[in-house]
Amino acid sequence: MVDNPIAPMTDDEAWEALRSHEFGRLAFHLLDEVHIVPINYAVDGSHRIIFRTAEGSKLLGVEMNSDVAFEIDQYDDETAFSVIARGRATTLEGSAAYIADNLPLRPWVPTEKYNVVAIAVSEISGRRFRLEKPWTSIHTT
Amino acid sequence: MVDNPIAPMTDDEAWEALRSHEFGRLAFHLLDEVHIVPINYAVDGSHRIIFRTAEGSKLLGVEMNSDVAFEIDQYDDETAFSVIARGRATTLEGSAAYIADNLPLRPWVPTEKYNVVAIAVSEISGRRFRLEKPWTSIHTT
């Protein structure tokens, strides 16, 4: 018990981790399938995850079913963390979409993405892991 | 057109990337919700993604609906790649589960995970990205 390698974050810590990163993975429904894609994102002042997207299966998927999950993580040889959020995705229309211009929302790949989507987060959980990789002392991967 | 920052991998390249990593994210259905979790995995000789899991929502989810998606990615300041696989997850029973003992399936966190799940991959796609992050020359994040 005292040696649990997994420690939960507080909600504040999980949000702080989300705010201090900009790359994660979105899981969404597309008809009866589940899909996952990497995205750049930013967090706005209303506890929403904001991202841009082109037309395509991602936009179609969230417009047909707004239930989504989102994950970020980071690791080194000894520690890792993961934050998972779930919520509802909405495509922002008109002036609402301009919020993206005032966020540190920086696409890493300069393709055209005209649509702005906001995930209103209903659940968030973060965990820190203490890793045990005895094999890294034998050979590096 | 000649300057496309996104280049597709061949299926062989995507499988090779999957084989040379051991950490990814699983997206699965849980009733009418989509969930996402980080997992350690290995690839077996039959184009399947194998992972271990404890009892819990992940196991329950894939047993109720075998449709899953899986993603790995890696990035530095200039390049990134992502591989996405979709398929059907099956909990391996009896001697079939022993396949996990002969794979380089190395949990990073030493919690007890007695169940072995195999994802029979039906679709795989990999992409390489050339990143443009002009802000990294101004300040590091």
Side-chain angles (χ1 to χ4, degrees):
Chain A
M1 288 291 276
V2 293
D3 199 36
N4 196 324
I6 306 178
M9 291 183 186
T10 65
D11 283 6
D12 283 349
E13 289 172 328
W15 277 109
E16 180 52 35
L18 276 187
R19 281 195 196 90
S20 59
H21 290 76
E22 60 182 353
F23 175 77
R25 298 96 198 161
L26 176 76
F28 60 98
H29 302 266
L30 183 59
L31 297 173
D32 58 350
E33 295 179 346
V34 60
H35 285 246
I36 182 171
V37 289
I39 60 172
N40 286 119
Y41 76 96
V43 172
D44 75 0
S46 305
H47 281 193
R48 297 188 305 179
I49 295 165
I50 311 289
F51 65 93
R52 293 182 193 273
T53 180
E55 306 286 335
S57 62
K58 186 167 30 179
L59 189 66
L60 183 66
V62 302
E63 290 193 336
M64 294 175 69
N65 186 335
S66 66
D67 176 76
V68 298
F70 180 75
E71 193 259 7
I72 66 168
D73 56 55
Q74 187 169 289
Y75 61 88
D76 56 29
D77 280 345
E78 294 177 358
T79 62
F81 82 81
S82 169
V83 173
I84 295 166
R86 284 193 18 82
R88 294 277 168 188
T90 311
T91 306
L92 301 184
E93 308 284 352
S95 60
Y98 290 125
I99 190 173
D101 297 334
N102 295 316
L103 292 174
L105 184 55
R106 309 184 292 198
W108 288 358
V109 180
T111 52
E112 290 172 344
K113 307 180 192 75
Y114 289 122
N115 304 281
V116 179
V117 177
I119 303 170
V121 174
S122 53
E123 304 165 40
I124 188 168
S125 66
R127 292 182 298 170
R128 294 182 216 284
F129 305 90
R130 193 181 64 247
L131 307 185
E132 292 191 15
K133 302 192 209 174
W135 57 85
T136 56
S137 57
I138 303 170
H139 63 275
T140 56
T141 54
Chain B
M1 292 288 279
V2 293
D3 199 34
N4 196 324
I6 305 177
M9 292 183 187
T10 65
D11 283 5
D12 283 350
E13 290 171 327
W15 277 109
E16 181 51 35
L18 276 187
R19 280 194 198 90
S20 60
H21 290 76
E22 59 183 355
F23 176 78
R25 297 98 198 160
L26 177 75
F28 59 98
H29 302 266
L30 183 60
L31 297 173
D32 57 350
E33 296 179 346
V34 61
H35 285 248
I36 182 171
V37 289
I39 60 171
N40 287 118
Y41 74 97
V43 173
D44 75 0
S46 305
H47 281 192
R48 297 190 304 180
I49 295 165
I50 311 289
F51 65 93
R52 293 182 193 272
T53 180
E55 306 287 335
S57 63
K58 186 168 32 179
L59 189 66
L60 183 66
V62 302
E63 289 194 335
M64 293 176 70
N65 185 336
S66 67
D67 176 76
V68 297
F70 180 75
E71 193 259 7
I72 66 168
D73 54 55
Q74 187 170 290
Y75 61 88
D76 56 30
D77 279 346
E78 295 178 356
T79 62
F81 83 80
S82 169
V83 173
I84 295 166
R86 284 194 18 84
R88 294 277 167 188
T90 312
T91 306
L92 301 183
E93 308 284 352
S95 60
Y98 291 125
I99 189 173
D101 297 333
N102 295 315
L103 292 173
L105 185 54
R106 309 184 292 197
W108 287 358
V109 179
T111 52
E112 289 172 344
K113 308 180 191 73
Y114 290 121
N115 303 281
V116 179
V117 177
I119 303 170
V121 173
S122 54
E123 304 166 40
I124 188 168
S125 65
R127 293 183 297 172
R128 291 192 178 82
F129 305 91
R130 195 182 62 248
L131 307 185
E132 292 191 16
K133 301 192 209 174
W135 59 85
T136 57
S137 57
I138 303 170
H139 62 275
T140 56
T141 54

